[in-house]
Structures are given as C-alpha cells and as structure tokens.
Amino acid sequence: MAPKSSEFIPLKIAVLTVSDSRTSADDSSGDYLVSALTQAGHKLAYRALCADNLFRVRAQTSEWIADEAVQVVLINGGTGFNEQNRVPEAVGVLFERTVQGFGEMFRQLSFAEIKGSAMQSRALAGLANRTLIFCLPGSTGACQLGWEQLIRDQLDARTKPCNFVTHL
C-alpha cells in the first residue's frame, strides 16, 4: 500500500486506443490522454493502438496488468452500444474489483452534454493486480470529460478524503 502523502506521486500510466479506423497519425483521443497525464506529472509507460477485437484488447490489457511498469491503464474507444464495441466484454472479466461509481458518474456528467444518448455509454473502471483500468469512449470530448472531471484527481495522492493511489 502506498503511503498517505501530502506530495504528488507520479504514476506509470499506459494508454490504449481501441479503434478500427484510427491510426497513430490521427489518434486525437490518445494524444489528449498522453498530454493530459504528462501535464499532470505522471509518466507514460506505454502507448498502443489496437483494433476493436475482444481478444486483442484483452491480451494487451492483460499484458499491462501483469507488468510492474504499469499502475494505471487508460483505454479509449470501444465502449459504445454498437455490437462492434467489445471493450467492456474484453476488460470487465479481468477486474478483481469494479469501480461501480465511475460508469455511473461518467454517464451522469455526459448527460449534461449529450442528453439521453449518455445511456448508451458503457464506460467502466476496475482494479486488477493492483492496476487501475479506466475505459472511456473514443471521442476526445469524452476523454476530456473523464480525465478532467473524474480520473485526474483520483490519481493524485493529495486528493482527500480518498484517492486510488493507495490501492496501486
């Protein structure tokens, strides 16, 4: 367990973009997440892009969960209600504990921007092998909303009354 701290503790974070159409040249959501996490003082451990294939997503996420160089995984894309979106099925089974409030709060915040369409978001988060995994929609706006409103402060050991750093 990490010590309680009044100082910032940089975390090692991996970013996975799940898309059948994006490339590293036009991955604006992945670019945003990398920029946001480094600006916050964290370290980019890895970055990858993979097709929305249940087994490829699960394999990449599993590899990072087992890697001591990764404390947090940020996945963007593949969380919609479309039948090709497989991230919840690929990643959810890996969780030892689900962070129920993340998906609930993400949809609540999304409602202010996209109204009832927010109910089709399957954003989720959980903990596996002391690695925290957040699964966000693929739009850059959704990644900004998730990072700025929910994730950033929970990855800061100074956030009171609680944060996730002590669980990593």
Side-chain angles (χ1 to χ4, degrees):
M1 187 157 90
K4 293 192 188 250
S5 178
S6 59
E7 293 182 27
F8 181 79
I9 299 170
L11 300 174
K12 298 169 280 188
I13 302 176
V15 174
L16 177 62
T17 297
V18 176
S19 176
D20 292 330
S21 60
R22 302 247 170 134
T23 67
S24 55
D26 66 356
D27 179 16
S28 60
S29 296
D31 291 342
Y32 168 78
L33 290 170
V34 169
S35 175
L37 74 88
T38 55
Q39 285 178 11
H42 299 294
K43 309 236 183 284
L44 178 65
Y46 300 104
R47 181 175 180 181
L49 192 144
C50 82
D52 198 343
N53 172 286
L54 185 138
F55 298 102
R56 288 183 185 163
V57 172
R58 187 176 293 161
Q60 181 62 76
T61 306
S62 295
E63 181 180 322
W64 286 344
I65 289 168
D67 188 335
E68 291 183 14
V70 178
Q71 295 171 287
V72 178
V73 176
L74 301 176
I75 300 174
N76 71 90
T79 61
F81 204 70
N82 185 312
E83 73 181 53
Q84 284 87 9
N85 294 155
R86 303 302 308 255
V87 167
E89 292 78 14
V91 177
V93 298
L94 301 173
F95 295 162
E96 293 168 285
R97 284 185 283 162
T98 301
V99 181
Q100 298 291 353
F102 177 75
E104 296 164 0
M105 293 179 79
F106 183 85
R107 284 180 284 281
Q108 180 182 22
L109 292 167
S110 295
F111 181 79
E113 294 181 22
I114 62 171
K115 303 295 180 224
S117 295
M119 77 174 78
Q120 291 194 35
S121 170
R122 298 188 308 145
L124 70 156
L127 190 70
N129 193 34
R130 300 183 68 88
T131 303
L132 189 59
I133 301 111
F134 291 99
C135 305
L136 296 158
S139 79
T140 304
C143 289
Q144 284 179 300
L145 180 116
W147 176 262
E148 294 171 10
Q149 299 291 318
L150 299 170
I151 299 169
R152 178 182 54 206
D153 290 342
Q154 284 297 298
L155 298 184
D156 188 333
R158 302 168 294 186
T159 298
K160 304 294 181 215
C162 60
N163 59 74
F164 284 113
V165 177
T166 59
H167 302 287
L168 307 177

